[in-house]
Amino acid sequence: MIKKKPTSLAKIIKSTIFYLFVTTLGVGILLPAFFLVSLSFLSTREAYQFPLPLLPALSAKYSLTFGDRGYLLSVYDDFDDEYQTVLDTAELEKMSVYMRSQIGAPYDIPDIEDRIAELESGTDPVYFKARKNLLLNYDLFFKVTRDAVPALIRSLQIAGMTIVISLSIGGMAGYAFARYVFIGRDALKFSVLFVRMFPGVAIALPMVIILANMGFYDQPIGLSLVYSVGSIALTVWITASIFMGIPESLEEAAQVFGATKFQAFLKITFPLALPGLAAAAMYAFLGAWNETVSAIILTQFNPTFAVVVYQTLLGAVGHVNLAAAGGLAMAIPSVIFTFFIRRYINQMWGGVTV
Amino acid sequence: MAVAIGNKSFRNVWSKAIPYLLILPVVVYYALFWVRPVLKTVFESFRDTAGQFTLQNYAMVFSDPDFIPAVRNTAIIVVFSVTLEFLAALFLAILINRKFVGSSFFLFVAMVPMALPAVAVGAMWLTGLTAHGWLNSLLFYLGVSKKIYWLAGSEWALLAIIIIIDAWQVIPSVMIILLAGLQNIPVEAEEAGYVFGGNFITVLRKITIPMLQSTIQTAVILRLISAIQIWLIMVLLMGFNRLPVLVERIVYYHEEVPGLDISFQMASGYTIIVSVIVSIAALLYLKVSGAFGGNQEARQ
Amino acid sequence: MKKVSILMLIAVLGVSLLTAFTPATPAEAPPEQVKQTLVFSSRLFSPPQEQEYFINEIIKPFEEEHGVIVNFQIIDDQTLLDRAAVQQSTNHVTTDIVVAHNSRMAEWIEAGWVEDMTEVVAGWTDRTFSTAFEGQTHMDGSQYFLPVGADVYLLLANNKALDYLPAGAELDTITWEQYAEWGAAVAAGEGEGKVCITGIPAKSWIYMFGGTGLSYGAGFPDVNSEGAMEAWKVWETIGKAGGFVPTVLNIDSCVDPMMREESWLTVFHNARAGQVYASNETAFTLAPAPTGPVGTGSIAGVSGYAIMKGSANYDLALQFLEYLTRPDIQVKIAKGTGGFIPPVEEALEFLGNEAIDEVINKAVLVLENGVVSGVPAGDYQDWGAVKQCYDDIFEDTILAGADVTQARLDEGQTCVEDLLKTE
């Protein structure tokens, strides 16, 4: 046992280096996303500063004095280490709204009145602090985004149906291409892919018109049908390549033990193909989740989440922190989906019992 | 006797028909929802504004001053991004497939970029690449006070930026296909390679990659097809026209200047040309990589 | 464990499949309150705070008064048209009111997708729509769009730039030459250009330049007249001094660069200028657009309400539009949404003395006393393409620091004229 120590030390060093490397890689991958997340918690004032703060401040320091139009409000700037004027107004409501929406550190009108009283009684300037509302952008986003929750549910339904349609239809064909030799196989397999080769932007509108004429106007299922067109092709190819990697002999062995071909498929091949199906499902989900072009046109009273996010953020110029928050709100369900689906993609060989 | 033969031949026909029946739903599906608009676009690409047969639309596309740059930019992006993305994705997939403690979590981390919607990606890079953005802020904190104008450089610099940020988002989707393929390579196969004296590189070359062949073909062909059709990230960052690429030209005539007398003709001409280019590229890749006919061995 | 989670996944997917096949009833509205729903799709009021304001302060009172629901949606002009095409061609007209930009109104009217409102408007005696926009809201003597949210161009300066203001220049009466000199001085002093224009093609450079052109007696669109040449020379001065922000070709709106202080000077859209101004009133100064020999030139934009042909809620839509175009409501809308100009003559009586009124007042000043032109987009095949004729000149001569030659401008004029509708 003692003899082993040197090797285990080498092992520790090796694995430390390995984990250091993996961590660096992970940090590198997440760095842009980190800034996006950080941005979504910044107030508008912070989000437009240079250098951009790495993290949102937790409070804001204000100072109040007399101004030309009324009272002059200043905010402490960490980077420049000084108070900077932001607003000169006699209207307390305006000041309060400004503190809430631009600085992100709300201060109620009665409290402002108290501070003004201090100012009038001779303390000049008056300094005070307010806690930041870190969720400001998310608050505003969900306030403006009407019917976000039903839209979210609808989008999940649509993505779910897209997965079901494309995995069932595409998976069958994928299996056929992997397991059977037949006339026209290569040609057919290639043609399936043609759906992806033909630029979808060119036919989005006509496709939507066809579906509307078929009675799918403003029906969630109609969108699943549109999205499945693209993801079926992907599924066919992904599943075909995965089925190819699974030795047919395993199925044959099961049949020797008396299983029917279908049972053999279900018990042996299907579990082994799960990583591929999961990868295909991931594609189908993201394709359906993020699409807006067809969804805006085909829906009216039943918009998807992507559509309501688009509607909220279309005009978010000068409000990039809100765009970040909205974009992240939209990303969260897909990130969660990713979190679960990854277990099937990274499934260990032999982890499935026959 | 006759009945038995009939039965046998019926079975024969039946088993021959199975693959076709399995594929039938796909065909029906496409026929219902997809074929009509495609055919219509094909027809339209051969018609002038008066509805007469013409090849003029194609002539107009070929003589469009942006056509050659669009082809060139597309080709550069495809060559570099497919290579880069494939190598990086293969590397990540092999790394994750080592099943180290935390590999599952690392997989999740590596998949995050693909889960971000375009609106988030747009906000992220626009605030990153602008002169007072987070990239320059980061450099500033690291002591570099000179501002870099990321998106104001030469065409080559812009292409490089597009390739890198596209890779950031797309690598995971290539990786998950490769990783799914790697799951089906028995550990024993690679171990056997090491037992017989192979090192990491030879095992990769002689065992892993050959066994992964059809998965690699799938991953690369899917990526190739979408890399040729890249456009959204470029329009998000630079608007139309700055760095023309093929599909951006289609969208340009569809969305940006839809009112021109020639818009529809240009858009359908470009559409057909793009699909022909993509098909040829895909076909070439599949031929060269031996995907056609040659995969009987791979199946066993 | 794995099996269980697979089963659960399948169950979830199955349920979602079932629920989705059931007819799409508006599940959000319980049956006892099946209210009439009016669908209002707008390109205007897209900034989130403006949306919030419009929903809470403008729509809500109407909903409560009439016991109806107004479904307010923000959609860009092109998608609005695409959507209308699908709704009209498949007979599913679910949108009742659209708000389009004046550069796109001709497309709506020519397609026959909007109702003729001439007689209705004649019956409203308490409001007089500003005649400045009749070129776009009307066609062949009939009115299809009711104007809302007009805009002109204002000068917005970061106060840091005030130190460089040329001697003798007053912000409220600054000339274009002084503006150019100013931009050049800032660049020389800061070592970096600080003038913002939108360099991404087909955005608003045509309007920014158009205002300069009008100030020198040019028409609009007019690339190569004598007045236009003088106007180009103003911008040439800035270009030669390296006065534009280095990232100018990546800018699609000057709001972000002005807020980030990447740029310090710009002449742009009054509502967006108002938005930047409101983000820090003490850091910015707002003034009317610079003047030329003929006056203060500005392009005026406007949006317009219209009722979709085939709307099932025509009467309600009409009531809503009657409400929205009342002078007091127009002012309320303008003040709550960044400082658009209410294009109803009676509206100006309702303005007060607050900072936002100042923005509106300055804009009104430009609209009333300036040399103003609308956007004759309907005369051209595609307005976006016309914009690009201007963008190209900017990019290959002004930004490059080259001379603007008459030959180049003649080429640009041909570019514009080739786009005139052929009939």
Side-chain angles (χ1 to χ4, degrees), chain A residues 102-118:
Chain A
Q102 299 279 345
I103 311 292
Y107 211 68
D108 289 340
I109 295 176
D111 294 327
I112 298 177
E113 280 167 350
D114 291 348
R115 297 291 87 76
I116 287 177
E118 280 176 46

Side-chain angles (χ1 to χ4, degrees), chain B residues 75-86:
Chain B
I76 292 170
I77 289 174
V78 168
V79 168
F80 284 96
S81 69
V82 174
T83 318
L84 174 72
E85 286 158 12
F86 168 70

